[in-house]
Amino acid sequence: MNLKNFFNLLPTYPHYKMNVFSGTNKLQEIIGTLKCLYSSVCVKGPDIDLYHRLLREKLATHCYSFASGRMGFYSILKSMNIQPNDEIIIPSFTCVVVPNAILYSGAKPVYCDISSYDFNIDINKLESLITPRTRIIYAQHTFGQMCNMEVIGKIALKYNLIVIEDAALALGAKFNGQWGGTIGDFGYFSTDRSKVINTGLGGIVTVNNHDYLKKFSDYYNTLPYLDEKLTRNIAKTFLLNIITLHPYFYWIGKFINAVLTKFGFMTYLLDEKFTRLESIQGYPYPAKLSNICARIGISQFQNIEENIKHRKRIAHYYNEILKIYPYEYIEDEKNIFLRYSFLINNREYWEERFSSKIDLSIWFKTIASGKSENFGEIGYLSGSNTVSEHVCSHIFNLPTHQQIKPEKLRNLLIELKLSGDIIERKRNTIS
């Protein structure tokens, strides 16, 4: 850690300071977690089946829970008998765990440029990347805005390809009343602290094509759980984060969180830096979701509709000042706005301006967020996707969860709007 980063973590004066991490958890979930923490059903228990049943009722498809979303994605690939050098087309604007999981499976990520209009894969460039080795189109719903599943589905049908939906950032988004993540052959979600709902750590896979159901179920049934000690540490981290990341305490909580993490009291599954599966040590990859996290998930899912309504209200508040999106776009059921995202000039300046009120932790500053160099290791050639790289340099995100008080950002939002630094939202910003 360099000196600047250290000083950024030091406690400041007491004030309400917001951050991007989920503010969706209720007191009953804290109490339930404490009761389950040292019980015999911490790892395995009845809440897992209850969670799966609730997911099936909500999503109307076959659902499986995992210790993380990335493990779910990897499990999809393993169940499909992916062969060495099979190609998977993904957007060049994602999290590094996506190409990592592809590499773990032996396949090859092929990067497609994105549209600067909605930050999703550019459907006009998809077909040019399809080769005889292509197996999968990876449909990522970026920032909670659904990509064009209708066109992607037609392309997949034309070339006999599988569609995997990445709805990690879009739980609750719908197209014609159908949940994102349930339209392609497979889908998956993430439920960690930065996502739409927070189970501490966790993920969900949906199997929507019955042709793949048995193979996936058989594979899933072979998977282990995380061990009891690790599971309890994850649950303790969930509880500590609720306190240290709360806006009323974050002015000092950020420092406490960093110290606890430094001395091993906070537990996360930190495999972003690994491009080889065998490099992951200390826990099985993949693994199933524990009972204690499933218990949290039940409560979180029961409140999903109000969660989404709240995020749209926050997005409307931002939009009334910034005028980025048409009203109808925010209201569209396809867009839940996990983060309200747009492009600006002078991003570092505006990050600093906002930092007294909120830690933004902007997504995605590189084509594979979590990796800042040596992109050849994940099969990406720098300079090959100009729109994605332009967006990475200018993207700006504002969170929408329940602990965000947008009125505290009002003066900054007005200042940003009047600055002229907002880049107009239009298709094909870079030709």
Side-chain angles (χ1 to χ4, degrees), residues 109-169:
V110 175
Y111 294 89
C112 183
D113 216 340
I114 65 167
S115 166
S116 61
Y117 183 73
D118 60 5
F119 312 118
N120 285 320
I121 199 164
D122 189 339
I123 54 176
N124 297 309
K125 297 177 180 177
L126 265 176
E127 286 193 84
S128 66
L129 297 171
I130 295 173
T131 74
R133 299 295 304 176
T134 305
R135 290 281 310 275
I136 295 165
I137 297 176
Y138 184 89
Q140 175 182 290
H141 304 314
T142 311
F143 304 140
Q145 299 174 176
M146 286 187 69
C147 57
N148 193 326
M149 289 302 297
E150 192 169 13
V151 172
I152 290 172
K154 289 178 180 177
I155 294 172
L157 184 63
K158 178 180 177 181
Y159 293 95
N160 193 30
L161 302 177
I162 294 164
V163 176
I164 299 176
E165 286 182 86
D166 175 353
L169 311 185

Side-chain angles (χ1 to χ4, degrees), residues 228-271:
E228 189 167 330
K229 180 179 179 181
L230 184 57
T231 298
R232 285 179 174 154
N233 286 343
I234 289 169
K236 291 174 186 176
T237 299
F238 166 77
L239 294 170
L240 287 168
N241 276 334
I242 288 177
I243 300 170
T244 60
L245 301 178
H246 193 284
Y248 282 120
F249 309 117
Y250 191 61
W251 61 274
I252 190 171
K254 183 179 182 180
F255 174 75
I256 294 172
N257 199 292
V259 171
L260 292 174
T261 301
K262 175 71 174 177
F263 289 98
F265 291 100
M266 308 293 270
T267 299
Y268 307 100
L269 305 181
L270 301 176
D271 45 59

Side-chain angles (χ1 to χ4, degrees), residues 166-184:
D166 175 353
L169 311 185
L171 179 61
K174 297 178 181 179
F175 175 64
N176 290 337
Q178 188 172 357
W179 290 65
T182 71
I183 301 168

Side-chain angles (χ1 to χ4, degrees), residues 22-178:
S22 181
T24 63
N25 297 105
K26 310 292 185 183
L27 177 61
Q28 68 193 50
E29 295 164 14
I30 298 172
I31 295 171
T33 302
L34 287 169
K35 287 181 177 179
C36 190
L37 190 57
Y38 290 102
S39 73
S40 61
V41 294
C42 180
V43 177
K44 300 179 185 179
D47 293 303
I48 297 170
D49 286 339
L50 291 174
Y51 187 41
H52 286 185
R53 191 179 312 153
L54 177 61
L55 293 174
R56 286 194 297 271
E57 291 172 359
K58 288 282 189 181
L59 301 177
T61 191
H62 301 278
C63 302
Y64 304 81
S65 61
F66 287 83
S68 68
R70 65 195 70 170
M71 291 182 181
F73 174 44
Y74 172 76
S75 295
I76 294 171
L77 300 180
K78 288 296 290 182
S79 73
M80 290 170 52
N81 193 29
I82 289 290
Q83 297 299 307
N85 297 316
D86 280 351
E87 294 176 354
I88 301 173
I89 299 175
I90 66 173
S92 50
F93 191 64
T94 188
C95 181
V96 70
V97 300
V98 174
N100 281 354
I102 293 170
L103 294 172
Y104 298 163
S105 75
K108 175 185 176 183
V110 175
Y111 294 89
C112 183
D113 216 340
I114 65 167
S115 166
S116 61
Y117 183 73
D118 60 5
F119 312 118
N120 285 320
I121 199 164
D122 189 339
I123 54 176
N124 297 309
K125 297 177 180 177
L126 265 176
E127 286 193 84
S128 66
L129 297 171
I130 295 173
T131 74
R133 299 295 304 176
T134 305
R135 290 281 310 275
I136 295 165
I137 297 176
Y138 184 89
Q140 175 182 290
H141 304 314
T142 311
F143 304 140
Q145 299 174 176
M146 286 187 69
C147 57
N148 193 326
M149 289 302 297
E150 192 169 13
V151 172
I152 290 172
K154 289 178 180 177
I155 294 172
L157 184 63
K158 178 180 177 181
Y159 293 95
N160 193 30
L161 302 177
I162 294 164
V163 176
I164 299 176
E165 286 182 86
D166 175 353
L169 311 185
L171 179 61
K174 297 178 181 179
F175 175 64
N176 290 337
Q178 188 172 357

Side-chain angles (χ1 to χ4, degrees), residues 374-421:
N374 300 324
F375 293 104
E377 293 177 348
I378 56 170
Y380 182 76
L381 177 63
S382 294
S384 60
N385 287 344
T386 54
V387 177
S388 297
E389 294 179 21
H390 173 80
V391 170
C392 288
S393 297
H394 296 280
I395 192 69
F396 199 78
N397 318 126
L398 297 167
T400 60
H401 61 71
Q402 282 85 335
Q403 289 176 352
I404 297 297
K405 294 184 176 180
E407 64 275 9
K408 291 184 176 292
L409 302 175
R410 181 174 181 81
N411 291 339
L412 286 166
L413 294 170
I414 293 171
E415 183 183 341
L416 173 57
K417 179 63 178 177
L418 294 176
S419 72
D421 275 347

